[in-house]
């Protein structure tokens, strides 16, 4: 859903990307640094129950990570390896965020909600893989009510407000994400099933598991260093 604002976001980030490019930092370095910062904030602060400050640190590094696409555009360093690295690092960041929430909730004695956070982590991986695998087989799979950007925004906003003492907001958000992610998986399965039934989309793979997916779910603008369309 947030894909509609990506062109506008790209225009806003391009001047910042030019400034960062002058420092000599490469797009891939930005990707790795951003992911490392997100993982550190999530796995150090969330398990200690510091949900507000963890959210602040994570948000800062998520915004920094979004510059990799802008820097790649202005420097001409757009590459398939950059696309692969960015998509893979996004998976690491997502896993760190929901793992940190899960550990923090478990330590706080909220075992059922920790299990919901684990479900959100797993379902998010399935959402991303379903699209990557579908497109690896030659189908289109541009559907889903809860793509990566939406999932991160909901989780981080709720965690931040929970850290400020707002009651029940994190529980509501995680349960909503669990439901919406499940619906998204169903949407993608249904979309691919219809295409397969109707004989649409000649596959790039052989249908036996050998045609690997060509990408993974991606965030707002950081996929701009890719040649292929980012998978969300």
């Amino acid at each position: 859903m947030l894909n509609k604002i990506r062109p506008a976001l790209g225009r806003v980030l391009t001047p910042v990307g030019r400034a960062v490019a002058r420092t000599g930092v490469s797009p891939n370095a930005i990707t790795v640094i951003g992911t490392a910062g997100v993982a550190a904030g999530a796995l150090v602060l969330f398990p200690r129950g510091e949900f507000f400050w963890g959210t602040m640190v994570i948000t800062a590094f998520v915004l920094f990570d979004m510059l990799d696409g802008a820097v790649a555009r202005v420097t001409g360093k757009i590459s398939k390896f950059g696309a692969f690295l960015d998509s893979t690092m996004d998976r690491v960041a997502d896993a760190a965020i929901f793992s940190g929430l899960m550990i923090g909730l478990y330590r706080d004695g909220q075992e059922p909600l920790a299990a919901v956070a684990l479900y959100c982590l797993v379902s998010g991986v399935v959402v991303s893989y379903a699209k990557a695998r579908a497109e690896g087989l030659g189908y289109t799979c541009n559907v889903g009510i809860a793509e990566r950007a939406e999932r991160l925004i909901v989780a981080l906003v709720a965690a931040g407000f929970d850290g400020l003492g707002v009651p029940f907001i994190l529980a509501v958000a995680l349960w909503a994400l669990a439901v919406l992610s499940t619906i998204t998986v169903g949407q993608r399965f249904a979309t691919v099933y219809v295409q397969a039934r109707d004989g649409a989309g000649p596959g790039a793979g052989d249908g036996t598991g050998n045609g690997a997916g060509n990408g993974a779910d991606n965030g707002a603008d950081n996929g701009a260093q890719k040649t292929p369309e980012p998978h969300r």
Side-chain angles (χ1 to χ4, degrees), residues 111-123:
E111 289 89 350
L113 197 54
V116 177
L118 175 60
Y119 181 86
C120 289
L121 191 163
V122 175
S123 60

Side-chain angles (χ1 to χ4, degrees), residues 86-110:
D86 190 60
S87 295
T88 304
M89 291 297 100
D90 283 346
R91 305 285 70 70
V92 173
D94 293 353
I97 290 170
F98 284 100
S99 294
L101 285 173
M102 179 182 65
I103 296 169
L105 291 167
Y106 182 82
R107 287 183 172 178
D108 193 40
Q110 301 185 64

Side-chain angles (χ1 to χ4, degrees), residues 13-78:
L13 290 175
T14 296
V16 183
R18 289 196 188 97
V20 175
R22 295 190 196 104
T23 68
V25 179
S26 71
N28 290 343
I30 292 173
T31 299
V32 173
I33 293 169
T35 302
V38 169
L43 296 176
V44 173
L45 295 173
F46 279 176
R48 299 157 109 186
E50 298 284 350
F51 288 164
F52 175 76
W53 290 113
T55 298
M56 293 299 100
V57 171
I58 291 167
T59 301
F61 279 101
V62 165
L63 294 174
F64 177 76
D65 180 58
M66 289 169 63
L67 293 174
D68 60 359
V71 173
R73 285 196 303 273
V74 300
T75 60
K77 295 181 179 178
I78 297 173

Side-chain angles (χ1 to χ4, degrees), residues 140-154:
T140 58
C141 197
N142 296 315
V143 297
I145 193 173
E147 296 185 328
R148 181 178 186 256
E150 288 87 348
R151 296 194 304 270
L152 283 186
I153 289 172
V154 170

Side-chain angles (χ1 to χ4, degrees), residues 105-189:
L105 291 167
Y106 182 82
R107 287 183 172 178
D108 193 40
Q110 301 185 64
E111 289 89 350
L113 197 54
V116 177
L118 175 60
Y119 181 86
C120 289
L121 191 163
V122 175
S123 60
V125 172
V126 177
V127 166
S128 299
Y129 181 77
K131 182 171 184 177
R133 182 58 175 152
E135 295 189 350
L137 292 170
Y139 299 111
T140 58
C141 197
N142 296 315
V143 297
I145 193 173
E147 296 185 328
R148 181 178 186 256
E150 288 87 348
R151 296 194 304 270
L152 283 186
I153 289 172
V154 170
L156 291 177
V157 168
F161 278 109
D162 182 88
L164 291 175
V166 178
F168 307 119
I169 188 168
L170 185 56
V172 171
L174 289 177
W175 277 106
L177 282 177
V179 172
L180 294 175
S181 296
T182 303
I183 292 172
T184 302
V185 171
Q187 289 176 305
R188 294 187 170 181
F189 268 80

Side-chain angles (χ1 to χ4, degrees), residues 198-214:
D198 295 342
D206 60 8
T208 63
N210 296 324
N214 61 353

